[in-house]
Amino acid sequence: MTDQPRSALADQDLLRLDGQICFSLNAASRAFGGLYRILLKDLGLTYPQYLVMLVLWEHGELPVKDIGAHLRLDSGTLSPLLKRLEATGLIRRERSAEDERSVHVHLTPAGVALRERAAEVPRRIAAATGYELAEIVDLRSRLDRLTAALDAAAADL
């Protein structure tokens, strides 16, 4: 065996790259990103733009602040995305009549029409995972719980 104490071996095992959940999640995220990049190319969207469109297709007109809350993005990250989507004619931004500090985002007719073409994307992603629908739902639930636990842990620090 080795001369190192048992705790030192355990610490070494803890520091192995293949033992890091964060690395596995990051690798899976990058793999998803690569597949989404291919699938979204025909729609003319990047993955972050697709996420914005998903929120708008689901909720309709929203203030920028609410879109950011749904996507866990700050306005500094979200504003350039919205600007590019507006330049492509998929959304329209306008200041609220009640509160000029608030900007509302609306889908244009082209943005609404894109939804039908985008419906195939989640089906193809699900098929690519090789998972059954129940497994995907379970994984999503576990990831949501993990996110909530990590958010709570970060808030306690």
Side-chain angles (χ1 to χ4, degrees):
M1 192 140 171
T2 178
D3 295 343
Q4 294 180 331
R6 180 73 182 133
S7 63
L9 287 174
D11 286 348
Q12 286 178 352
D13 288 345
L14 286 174
L15 295 176
R16 289 181 49 95
L17 179 62
D18 62 0
Q20 306 302 309
I21 190 171
C22 59
F23 182 73
S24 294
L25 287 169
N26 186 58
S29 179
R30 291 178 57 84
F32 268 113
L35 184 55
Y36 272 106
R37 194 169 15 272
I38 294 165
L39 296 176
L40 295 173
K41 187 175 182 181
D42 289 340
L43 300 178
L45 295 174
T46 64
Y47 178 69
Q49 291 170 340
Y50 174 69
L51 296 179
V52 170
M53 296 301 291
L54 288 173
V55 170
L56 294 171
W57 289 327
E58 182 177 347
H59 299 283
E61 172 201 337
L62 285 174
V64 171
K65 178 181 169 186
D66 291 359
I67 296 170
H70 282 289
L71 298 176
R72 301 172 58 110
L73 294 175
D74 61 47
S75 62
T77 303
L78 190 53
S79 291
L81 287 172
L82 296 174
K83 187 179 273 190
R84 286 192 297 276
L85 285 168
E86 189 171 38
T88 63
L90 296 174
I91 66 163
R92 180 175 42 85
R93 295 180 295 167
E94 64 182 43
R95 294 222 172 265
S96 167
E98 296 84 36
D99 180 359
E100 289 197 13
R101 295 170 298 173
S102 180
V103 175
H104 287 248
V105 180
H106 308 261
L107 288 166
T108 64
V112 171
L114 186 62
R115 186 178 192 276
E116 188 175 321
R117 290 180 46 216
E120 190 62 25
V121 173
R123 290 183 191 106
R124 293 185 68 187
I125 292 291
T129 67
Y131 286 7
E132 297 294 326
L133 180 58
E135 291 176 299
I136 292 171
V137 169
D138 180 59
L139 178 59
R140 170 71 195 265
S141 174
R142 289 171 182 260
L143 290 172
D144 288 347
R145 286 195 339 254
L146 176 61
T147 300
L150 294 173
D151 284 345
D156 289 343
L157 296 180

